[in-house]
Amino acid sequence: MANCTRTVDAAIPPARADWQSVLADSVRSPAELCRLLGLDPTLATEAERAAGGFSLMVPRPYLARIRPGDPADPLLLQVLPRAAEMAAPPGYSPDPLGEVDACCGPGLLQKYQGRILMVATGLCAVHCRFCFRRHFPYENASAAVSAWGPALQKVAADRSLQEVILSGGDPLTLTDRELGGLAAKLAEIPHLHRLRIHSRLPTVIPQRVTDELISWLRGSRLSPIMVVHVNHPAEIDPAVGEAFGRLVDAGIPMLNQSVLLRGVNDRADVLAELCQRLVDLRVMPYYLHQLDPVAGASHFEVPISTGVALMAELRTRLPGYAVPRYVRETRGGMSKEVLG
Ligand code: SF4
């Protein structure tokens, strides 16, 4: 029986806990998740069946922001496998953006001019059920830490590139020593100007924003840009706000991207609150992505007409700088398509 009044009895790690220990202590069992959140145990059985090869993973700082006893909590919906993942509607596929074909070297993906994406790792700190890379063959396509060489050679040989985007998986699951070493190698390539990092870690494990991370980001010749991923205002608690603030105070531009998700953030009041909280934390709303049609995520789809109407509503409520661009990616497209 769900109980909305109890509190999560998961051990919440302290703000200065070692992020690697917090990551290692993530909840990976649906039964444990349901027990900690006071949810009906049949949800755990359903999750075990539905997860397939993309198992549940929830770090405890994120778990602590989920309302106990509420199976419709917008943060829970993002992480708990549901039976709907087993549906196979037409148009949904394992590689909706054709990324396997876009691989242009070991761990490298090039979709757009001037920048290249380095799949630095296949590991994440949270398994988001809507992830468009949930079926990505990381074992074949990641640039192993021990073997950056071929990827670096490829980037060095292409003088049209100005920017490297570290992605994954989540690049911040790598250590600062590994990342600092990679950033130093990239900085030796004269035609590169910028290093962008796409990460959900500062949100789901704010302890990841270490002095060492800030130090190598600030110390690089390359201009750093941090793109975080927050979908709902309840994902931002004081520790997350403090972690974002430390990055901004260090002079690192911060942007946020969200995915428009049914039941999570498909209401104007939720999106407006999210954008306002981000701006107040000096993180600029960048993209609101239409869901990529990846197999297993169809239950999150919001019709584009609804997304366009939400954007129109946001424009009436927010200053222009606080409104993200509503976009979708298409297989083989030369740029993202702006939807509204
Ligand atoms: S953290 Fe990013 S890459 Fe990892 S599962 Fe979530 S959306 Fe996908």
Side-chain angles (χ1 to χ4, degrees), residues 89-97 130-132 134-135 290-298 301 328-331:
Y92 279 75
S93 68
D95 182 20
L97 302 179
F130 51 84
C131 179
F132 71 98
R134 55 180 290 167
H135 307 287
Q290 177 66 12
L291 180 79
D292 297 309
V294 64
S298 61
E301 183 174 330
R328 77 169 162 193
E329 272 194 63
T330 50
R331 184 185 280 258

Side-chain angles (χ1 to χ4, degrees), residues 54 78 121-134 138 167-171 173 198-201 204 229 231 257 259:
F54 188 52
Q78 296 180 54
T121 172
L123 298 180
C124 289
V126 61
H127 287 177
C128 312
R129 308 314 302 173
F130 51 84
C131 179
F132 71 98
R133 292 206 183 115
R134 55 180 290 167
Y138 287 111
S167 182
D170 195 315
T173 56
H198 284 185
S199 178
R200 197 133 156 76
L201 255 154
V204 300
H229 175 173
N231 297 314
Q257 51 184 348
V259 183

